[in-house]
Amino acid sequence: MFKLPRGTTDFTPEEMEKRRYVEEKMASTFKSFGYREIQTPTFETLELFTAKSGDSIIDEIYAFSDKGGRALALRPELTAPVIRFYIDKLQMEPKPLKLYYFGNCFRYDRPQKGRYREFQQAGCEIIGADTPEAYAELIAMAYNILKNVGLKNIKLNIGNLNIIDSMFTKIGLSKKDKKKLLPLIDKSQFEDVLSLLRDLDVPKDNAEKIIDVLQTSDIIKVKDFIKEDQSVKDELSNMEEIVDLLKNSFNVKDYQIKMSIVRGLDYYKGLVFELDASVLGAEKQLCGGGAYDLVKLFGGTDVSTAGFAIGFDRAILALEAEKFAFPSFKTDVYVIPVNEEMLVKSTEIAQNLRKEGILTDLDILRRGVGKSLKYANSKNAEKAIIIGPKDLEKDSVTLRDMKTGEQELVKIANILSKLKNN
Ligand code: AMP
């Protein structure tokens, strides 16, 4: 007996139907906002990810050498690959460039519910737009995607890293100090933030104010703290504009300002946001995104970039937890030849129905009517067509409604119209 590698999953036909349903809904929302799909390889050069996140990322990903001695990695996320692709082939495209993708990602995480070693992301990047309306649209799209797949309870949190950064600069913290603080803030460990600020000799009232701002959902408090700092003032008024647009134009009302969102990664800048599904426990974050800087770092011509990634598997978990009624699998018609002589005609009828887009299955085990009807039931068939010699003499077949058990004789020429009118 072979076992699955830790943190990976097999998906049953039922699960795949759910996944394809959700994928289609997500794709159609991306497209409705003018985004177009791209695909990049499952593995990349290791350097692509270390350039972005530093060597420490090697411990968290699947990094390996191939037979030619090349250092490679299974992608842990898709933003770096998409930006690599953009710089290589898409820099001349008209801006803004709106790209979306679905892809499997691999992380050497400790597996638990909602956290796997291979998982799927649905994400997008917008390149060449940094107006409040671009960011509001991006956030609204993430929100709409989750709503359109059928999720009821999602929470949107919006923060801004530049504002956090200048708050720390204002109280005299160095880059190194900030790096120590960010993981604590990311995990909402405010007691630890406070004691670290104390260790860094930040005056008590300033430290307390910082904690207050990090925990606030009130933009006024943030404003109060950064009063005279002009660069952040602009950032703050952009944030207010984004929020206004979300509320008034995109009808996204259930959001919160949350200055403690730091996204754990240091290539983000400015706007950051997250969407959570309250029904999920610890691993409730469905989506994370924001504005970031990578193009210049990767050798391209500097341009604004922003995007988000949705944890596809978690979106499915959240839908299941909310008891979402996924469309159920069905077979339109199950065709049953009563004996071997009927096979040719039965196949011909099945093929004609398939050509018309009717989901048609056919008994290929020569197992007779009784057993075939049982199997048809297990495949959720709505109708069965039973083809026997006597009916055939009259150019007819027996059409059976699988729910009621009612049967009627139907001319072969009329099968299609009969099925379509039902
Ligand atoms: P990130 O690229 O870390 O911002 O992740 C984006 C989204 O992917 C998160 O909000 C999660 O929903 C999902 N995600 C991240 N890591 C995992 C994982 N190991 N297993 C399943 N989903 C994940």
Side-chain angles (χ1 to χ4, degrees), residues 107 109 114-116 119 121 263 285-288 309 311 314:
R107 294 185 192 173
D109 262 332
R115 186 166 288 280
Y116 314 104
F119 62 100
Q121 280 190 348
R263 308 271 322 111
Q285 196 197 109
L286 289 183
C287 171
R314 286 188 197 175

Side-chain angles (χ1 to χ4, degrees), residues 261-274:
I261 302 181
V262 295
R263 308 271 322 111
L265 298 160
D266 45 19
Y267 66 92
Y268 274 101
K269 55 149 205 187
L271 172 78
V272 276
F273 66 94
E274 290 176 353

Side-chain angles (χ1 to χ4, degrees), residues 8 14 19 41 98 103 128 133 154 159 200 231-232 252 291 306 311 330 332-334 363:
T8 63
E14 287 74 20
R19 292 171 77 83
K98 293 173 157 185
E133 50 272 37
I154 49 174
L200 295 169
S231 63
V232 195
V252 177
K330 69 174 177 78
D332 290 330
V333 178
Y334 194 79
D363 171 37

